[in-house]
Amino acid sequence: MNLNSKIEELPRIHKTQIAALKNLGILTVQDLLLHFPYRYLDFTKTGKIKDLKPGENVSISATIKSITSRFSFRGRMSLAEAVVSDNTGSIKVVWFNQPYLAKNLKAGDEIFLAGVPEYYNFGLQMTNPIFEKVSEFPVHTSRLVPLYHLKKNIYPKTFRNFIVQILPLAKTVVDIVPDQILKNQLLISIGETITTSHFPKNDEDLAQAKKRLAFEEIFINQLLAQKHKLELAQKKSFSIKFDQPLIKNFVDSLPFKLTVEQKKASWEILQDLEKSAPMNRLLEGDVGSGKTLVALIAALQTVNHGFQVAFLSPTEILARQHFETVKKFLANKIDGRQFYSLALLTNNYSQIGSKNEAKAKLRKLINDGTPGLFIGTHALIQKTIKFKNLALVIIDEQHRFGVEQRAWLFQFGHKVPHLLSLSATPIPRTLQLAFYGELNISQIKHKPAERKPIITKLVADENRPKAYEFIKKQILNGRQAFVITPLIDESDKLGVKSAKKETENLLKIFSESKIGLLHGRLKAAEKEKTMKEFLENRLQLLVSTSVVEVGVDVPNASVMVIEGAERFGLAQLHQFRGRVGRARHQSFCFLFSDNVNPETRNRLTDFTKVQDGFELAELDLEQRGFGEIYGQEQSGWNFKYFDLHYTSLIQPARAEALKLLQADITLSAYPLLEEKIKERIVHFE
Ligand code: ADP
Ligand code: MG
């Protein structure tokens, strides 16, 4: 047998077990070796029978004195009872529902038992302990015992036994991390990592294995990021000179002053635009921090040099909103001239300036290379549209766009447009390189000063009527409110049930108001329609599930109600809250939760006190780990082993990755790495 042997070749493997393993994606011996435990039971403490204490994990080595099996509870349950002893005493052992057991064990056998002794009928007893025959290398007892994610038809013991059989092959696994890097970073080899992960000698050993796996992951991540960064730096883009009078003139014309951070971010972007290599920058800032305006400055500069700018939004309503904003701020302001072209293209809208125009006309404008700012949704990046003169792409809420859309950037002949991504998901500084290693980052951490903090309250259920009265008053004053509902249960994945139920309930209470409803089963067009009605204040309340992102700017909304608040992470709560407080009037966020767990109450109370998205993101990370927060689907973000404990590995991993790439960007000397990168890479060409 070798690493590539099929699992079918394992001795005594059963058909159902083969199916169960395949179900887990395990096809070969190597796959099996790389299926690591998710947790360990600590049965390292071995004891003598006379020293056993109730409630403590322990392993003992003993001889079976007697063993019998029978059926109890009207024959429905099998029961095996044994008495075992060592040279210090004896103890009763009971196993339920393991009918095969009495066949395997007989009086006189020497066995290890692992379990928790408890008092039963005045004496200590072990119930359902794990057992195995005494040996030099215990697998199921007397050690840190590995637990695996498994499917039915395959028992933990069976799985461990398979692993034991093939464990000697671990040392033949070829290491993807180059030797020199292992040496530099004092990391153990992959062979040792595999052996240790399955059967660690102790916690320190295990920590070495985990660290090694985390390093590998963040190393590959950094390799990908740096490779992309270096390759991009080789490409040519449009060098767009900073036109100071133009920008100054524009900024002076605004009804407000730019914040310091907005100015700094604009400056960083304008400098990138001057370079002949493409910009790849992320503008990160809380909802409502004023990112759009910064993006507009970049757009203005670019268009004014006679180029095209594409501004992509994830939804039609957001695209329209940006379009209106731009019309308000930019029209006629450009260098004293008429704006070249300002157009909107979505599935349902096709506008040039303020006029509706045929899509074909807009397409021609773009394909001819007419300078201008083209705002839209995915509709802008269809095959029939070929920007001829595209120098800057702005992507709003970049995480909502997939890999293919980013690949779209690289199809415009010899030059690559500059890319500016906007994101409202705050990533703590310590993790930025892990998540956005290939990007340059500008941050806006503070909202415009005139914005008031959103008054946030965790409302006790008995005060619910009061809260509703309060919202009624807000509505009477012309304001609007959001209500977010959590998913009730597994069967309600789209949130249809919960949101509908809440709407019915609110209709009775807010009988004078119009209420809109958003849930996961609505078609995109229906969602857009409802959001539009809310935006125009034809609906006063909008009930929405968490699965529907209400990424709209409704400055008139002043209340955000979140039901079942305990079910959301802090970062997510913050995203919801950011939907209000987008204008001058005081806004409110009310959390409801019937969860009485003190930890949960504390978490929600923390939220009522903290307004800063970055701070909340950090708290959230500490509490839940980032897999939960940032989603697994985003490319490069699906870490399995790397987590908050390993942030100190990011810099060294990055440095090692850079060293390799600088020597040879194709990595041809490292076939395994080369292949891995190919698997993961977004095809940019
Ligand atoms: P984001 O895209 O970051 O969520 P926006 O760019 O939509 O935020 O800005 C939110 C609101 O704040 C908009 O109405 C915008 O006009 C306004 N705004 C932007 N910058 C400032 C500023 N410096 N002072 C006051 N208001 C601002
Ligand atoms: Mg925005």
Side-chain angles (χ1 to χ4, degrees):
M1 253 196 328
N2 60 42
L3 293 173
N4 295 322
S5 303
K6 302 260 173 295
I7 48 170
E8 282 88 341
E9 292 175 37
L10 288 168
R12 288 189 307 280
I13 190 165
H14 195 269
K15 257 196 204 139
T16 54
Q17 294 167 336
I18 293 171
L21 289 178
K22 285 191 171 166
N23 220 328
L24 290 161
I26 299 172
L27 305 179
T28 65
V29 165
Q30 172 151 333
D31 295 340
L32 194 55
L33 281 175
L34 294 176
H35 190 78
F36 291 128
Y38 69 97
R39 194 161 84 72
Y40 302 83
L41 297 174
D42 187 353
F43 285 115
T44 48
K45 190 168 175 279
T46 55
K48 289 290 177 193
I49 290 177
K50 81 164 168 24
D51 300 326
L52 295 183
K53 292 191 191 67
E56 262 181 25
N57 269 6
V58 70
S59 298
I60 58 173
S61 172
T63 308
I64 299 180
K65 289 289 148 194
S66 66
I67 182 160
T68 57
S69 70
R70 61 185 167 91
F71 282 90
S72 72
F73 303 112
R74 296 196 198 109
R76 262 183 279 152
M77 194 185 279
S78 84
L79 183 73
E81 288 172 301
V83 174
V84 304
S85 66
D86 62 10
N87 54 8
T88 69
S90 58
I91 185 169
K92 189 173 172 196
V93 181
V94 175
W95 286 281
F96 291 103
N97 273 338
Q98 300 188 36
Y100 56 89
L101 190 141
K103 281 188 218 128
N104 291 339
L105 295 178
K106 57 183 190 315
D109 284 348
E110 289 183 42
I111 56 171
F112 288 130
L113 289 173
V116 184
E118 296 290 357
Y119 279 115
Y120 191 77
N121 286 348
F122 308 107
L124 275 181
Q125 170 179 315
M126 286 175 99
T127 307
N128 287 332
I130 315 177
F131 71 92
E132 67 185 308
K133 299 255 164 85
V134 163
S135 76
E136 289 286 299
F137 187 77
V139 171
H140 314 285
T141 64
S142 312
R143 60 169 313 115
L144 289 171
V145 178
L147 291 181
Y148 300 88
H149 287 299
L150 298 172
K151 300 270 153 120
K152 67 169 196 244
N153 288 337
I154 190 146
Y155 295 105
K157 263 183 138 172
T158 322
F159 192 86
R160 277 181 223 126
N161 288 335
F162 285 144
I163 296 281
V164 170
Q165 286 175 38
I166 58 170
L167 205 56
L169 291 171
K171 59 178 181 295
T172 65
V173 176
V174 186
D175 214 317
I176 193 170
V177 183
D179 271 356
Q180 192 55 48
I181 297 182
L182 294 178
K183 285 208 189 82
N184 295 346
Q185 302 301 329
L186 307 175
L187 296 168
I188 61 176
S189 70
I190 187 67
E192 208 179 323
T193 305
I194 292 171
T195 312
T196 304
S197 295
H198 291 295
F199 296 109
K201 287 199 198 70
N202 50 45
D203 287 336
E204 292 77 50
D205 264 23
L206 185 57
Q208 287 301 318
K210 284 185 169 170
K211 178 179 163 193
R212 141 78 210 218
L213 291 171
F215 182 90
E216 178 175 323
E217 212 164 46
I218 194 70
F219 171 66
I220 304 278
N221 162 289
Q222 291 301 307
L223 211 50
L224 270 165
Q226 298 268 16
K227 189 164 190 284
H228 179 45
K229 203 169 177 173
L230 291 172
E231 281 169 352
L232 206 58
Q234 301 295 317
K235 301 252 190 277
K236 287 266 162 288
S237 188
F238 306 81
S239 169
I240 303 161
K241 287 274 161 292
F242 174 46
D243 183 341
Q244 196 180 8
L246 171 78
I247 302 299
K248 184 172 185 308
N249 188 341
F250 170 66
V251 171
D252 288 346
S253 76
L254 294 172
F256 43 73
K257 276 208 165 112
L258 290 186
T259 65
V260 175
E261 289 170 322
Q262 279 175 315
K263 278 189 203 157
K264 180 159 178 271
S266 307
W267 176 239
E268 288 164 345
I269 294 164
L270 290 169
Q271 280 195 314
D272 280 0
L273 290 178
E274 288 198 327
K275 296 182 185 139
S276 60
M279 164 169 79
N280 191 14
R281 185 169 284 278
L282 176 75
L283 176 56
E284 204 187 356
D286 244 344
V287 201
S289 59
K291 298 184 290 293
T292 313
L293 209 73
V294 174
L296 278 190
I297 289 177
L300 171 65
Q301 174 72 86
T302 308
V303 173
N304 217 59
H305 272 70
F307 293 115
Q308 295 178 313
V309 177
F311 192 150
L312 300 175
S313 286
T315 66
E316 182 164 86
I317 198 144
L318 275 172
R320 291 190 54 216
Q321 233 166 37
H322 286 316
F323 186 62
E324 295 308 320
T325 309
V326 176
K327 273 204 291 198
K328 193 169 78 193
F329 286 136
L330 280 191
N332 296 321
K333 289 255 165 61
I334 292 162
D335 205 10
R337 280 173 283 169
Q338 185 66 33
F339 200 84
Y340 293 79
S341 257
L342 174 59
L344 171 71
L345 184 66
T346 69
N347 284 337
N348 295 306
Y349 292 86
S350 166
Q351 274 176 259
I352 301 174
S354 302
K355 280 211 302 251
N356 292 331
E357 297 281 4
K359 276 192 181 155
K361 184 163 178 197
L362 216 147
R363 210 179 298 138
K364 185 163 185 314
L365 208 65
I366 294 175
N367 294 358
D368 286 350
T370 315
L373 173 51
F374 301 90
I375 298 176
T377 53
H378 288 94
L380 260 185
I381 57 178
Q382 280 158 14
K383 284 221 171 66
T384 51
I385 298 185
K386 292 213 165 10
F387 282 89
K388 202 173 165 192
N389 199 11
L390 185 65
L392 170 64
V393 176
I394 301 166
I395 302 186
D396 195 14
E397 305 296 341
Q398 53 108 29
H399 64 277
R400 305 268 305 263
F401 284 89
V403 172
E404 309 82 52
Q405 280 101 32
R406 278 177 252 168
W408 173 81
L409 289 173
F410 291 82
Q411 52 151 33
F412 302 100
H414 64 295
K415 285 191 179 178
V416 177
H418 296 289
L419 174 62
L420 175 64
S421 309
L422 312 181
S423 169
T425 309
I427 306 276
R429 179 162 285 284
T430 44
L431 287 171
Q432 262 174 10
L433 281 178
F435 285 79
Y436 296 133
E438 79 280 22
L439 298 170
N440 294 311
I441 296 179
S442 298
Q443 284 187 334
I444 306 182
K445 286 196 160 184
H446 301 93
K447 293 187 187 179
E450 68 188 67
R451 218 69 62 67
K452 300 187 187 83
I454 298 156
I455 296 176
T456 306
K457 295 246 185 297
L458 176 57
V459 185
D461 216 43
E462 67 261 26
N463 290 328
R464 192 178 272 277
K466 267 200 213 154
Y468 286 149
E469 278 313 306
F470 181 87
I471 297 169
K472 274 186 192 164
K473 275 197 204 120
Q474 289 279 313
I475 292 176
L476 271 179
N477 286 335
R479 302 280 84 77
Q480 291 162 277
F482 289 97
V483 179
I484 302 287
T485 59
L487 306 183
I488 298 180
D489 52 46
E490 264 302 292
S491 69
D492 191 33
K493 282 209 175 69
L494 297 172
V496 183
K497 222 159 75 182
S498 54
K500 275 192 174 157
K501 206 174 116 200
E502 184 61 21
T503 308
E504 274 162 31
N505 180 24
L506 291 175
L507 276 169
K508 285 179 220 140
I509 299 161
F510 293 86
S511 49
E512 326 256 287
S513 302
K514 290 233 156 57
I515 304 182
L517 169 64
L518 290 180
H519 57 67
R521 191 161 298 140
L522 296 179
K523 298 222 171 61
E526 295 172 293
K527 282 183 214 162
E528 297 265 355
K529 182 169 168 282
T530 305
M531 295 224 228
K532 185 159 178 282
E533 285 173 353
F534 188 58
L535 189 59
E536 290 164 359
N537 200 359
R538 284 187 279 144
L539 301 169
Q540 286 72 51
L541 280 140
L542 184 64
V543 180
S544 171
T545 63
S546 53
V547 289
V548 180
E549 263 188 76
V550 271
V552 237
D553 195 358
V554 186
N556 190 48
S558 65
V559 185
M560 169 59 68
V561 174
I562 304 171
E563 295 289 342
E566 78 281 358
R567 299 184 188 219
F568 301 110
L570 297 178
Q572 205 181 357
L573 289 173
H574 185 64
Q575 293 289 327
F576 294 143
R577 179 168 62 182
R579 294 294 139 214
V580 296
R582 293 170 78 84
R584 269 161 219 270
H585 41 251
Q586 179 62 57
S587 291
F588 305 86
C589 177
F590 298 143
L591 309 178
F592 289 100
S593 170
D594 48 22
N595 192 307
V596 292
N597 179 326
E599 240 170 71
T600 307
R601 307 299 294 185
N602 281 345
R603 196 167 67 85
L604 295 176
T605 309
D606 279 351
F607 179 73
T608 64
K609 291 177 191 152
V610 180
Q611 298 269 331
D612 177 350
F614 285 89
E615 201 180 326
L616 286 169
E618 226 148 308
L619 277 176
D620 213 3
L621 273 170
E622 280 163 26
Q623 289 164 3
R624 301 194 308 158
F626 49 65
E628 298 281 324
I629 301 171
Y630 302 116
Q632 293 288 330
E633 72 285 356
Q634 294 164 29
S635 65
W637 289 21
N638 43 355
F639 295 112
K640 235 166 113 185
Y641 307 107
F642 174 79
D643 66 27
L644 265 192
H645 299 100
Y646 299 113
T647 49
S648 64
L649 297 180
I650 302 175
Q651 285 296 358
R654 188 171 177 83
E656 296 286 6
L658 194 60
K659 235 192 290 172
L660 282 198
L661 291 165
Q662 278 168 342
D664 171 16
I665 196 161
T666 67
L667 298 171
S668 57
Y670 308 97
L672 283 180
L673 279 179
E674 198 184 352
E675 194 184 328
K676 183 84 171 184
I677 297 291
K678 267 208 199 103
E679 252 168 52
R680 296 270 303 274
I681 208 145
V682 183
H683 290 281
F684 290 105
E685 264 81 15

